[in-house]
Amino acid sequence: MNTRWKKTVEKKVVVTESGLKALEDELEELKTVRRKEVSDKIRIARSFGDLSENSEYDEAKNEQAIVEARIADLEVMLKNVVILDESDMGTDAVSLGNTVRVLDLDFGDECEFHVVGSTEADPMNNVISDESPVGKSLLGKKVGEMAEAELPNGEMTKFEVLSISK
């Protein structure tokens, strides 16, 4: 039997200094606080007796799996982190780390996006990932150029780049 092993290529995680600190803080919180909390929940649930019908135990074990999975994810991310050097960042074309002021050509509204790596994205606060449809469409654009993106709902939207800053 011929078995093929796929070597997984772990993706580089591009973050700002503050993004790196946030990942490190989250990992520390999970390892020092959340693990202990979940362990305590499991210990208490075990004291209730029969584990076969113990919903508290099942819930605590599920929570433990989620915490451990997140710890593993964060450790892989931190192993593959690349810190964005903001001093190398230009403003001639949109790149990771830039803040971009655009005109929404469909609605006539101006809005501003900060383009970051996927781990730092916060779309509700206009901090968008370079992997998002709008983020991808803006990358490489210069002031005065148009960007077009297909939104998750299938609609197309168009922007004009008004300014680019660090």
Side-chain angles (χ1 to χ4, degrees):
M1 184 171 154
N2 188 4
T3 306
R4 289 187 184 173
W5 291 92
K6 259 189 183 179
K7 183 178 178 183
T8 57
V9 177
E10 293 171 349
K11 183 177 134 186
K12 292 293 178 196
V13 179
V14 181
V15 296
T16 60
E17 285 283 347
S18 62
L20 175 61
K21 177 152 179 31
L23 291 174
E24 291 171 338
D25 289 349
E26 181 183 357
L27 181 60
E28 183 66 20
E29 167 81 9
L30 288 171
K31 284 182 165 183
T32 60
V33 177
R34 294 290 294 134
R35 263 186 179 160
K36 183 176 180 345
E37 290 173 352
V38 171
S39 177
D40 289 346
K41 285 182 183 180
I42 291 171
R43 184 179 40 76
I44 291 167
R46 278 190 180 142
S47 73
F48 296 154
D50 184 11
L51 297 181
S52 65
E53 294 184 22
N54 186 330
S55 64
E56 289 87 357
Y57 179 77
D58 291 341
E59 186 179 314
K61 289 299 279 183
N62 286 336
E63 188 176 348
Q64 181 184 44
I66 291 167
V67 167
E68 293 303 323
R70 183 62 181 161
I71 288 171
D73 287 346
L74 287 168
E75 287 175 338
V76 168
M77 279 188 239
L78 289 169
K79 189 172 78 173
N80 294 293
V81 76
V82 175
I83 299 172
L84 181 64
D85 185 352
E86 294 183 35
S87 65
D88 288 344
M89 205 171 40
T91 57
D92 55 329
V94 178
S95 65
L96 199 62
N98 283 137
T99 298
V100 187
R101 194 167 47 88
V102 298
L103 175 63
D104 183 326
L105 296 173
D106 296 324
F107 296 100
D109 296 333
E110 283 188 25
C111 52
E112 198 169 80
F113 297 111
H114 185 64
V115 183
V116 296
S118 60
T119 60
E120 294 181 79
D122 182 4
M124 298 304 290
N125 290 307
N126 289 349
V127 179
I128 61 171
S129 166
D130 62 330
E131 297 174 9
S132 70
V134 172
K136 274 186 200 174
S137 73
L138 290 171
L139 288 177
K141 297 293 189 243
K142 296 179 179 183
V143 173
E145 291 186 338
M146 305 298 161
E148 186 174 28
E150 183 176 350
L151 301 176
N153 64 5
E155 291 180 26
M156 295 298 289
T157 188
K158 294 179 186 176
F159 299 102
E160 177 184 354
V161 176
L162 301 176
S163 69
I164 304 166
S165 60
K166 291 185 182 183

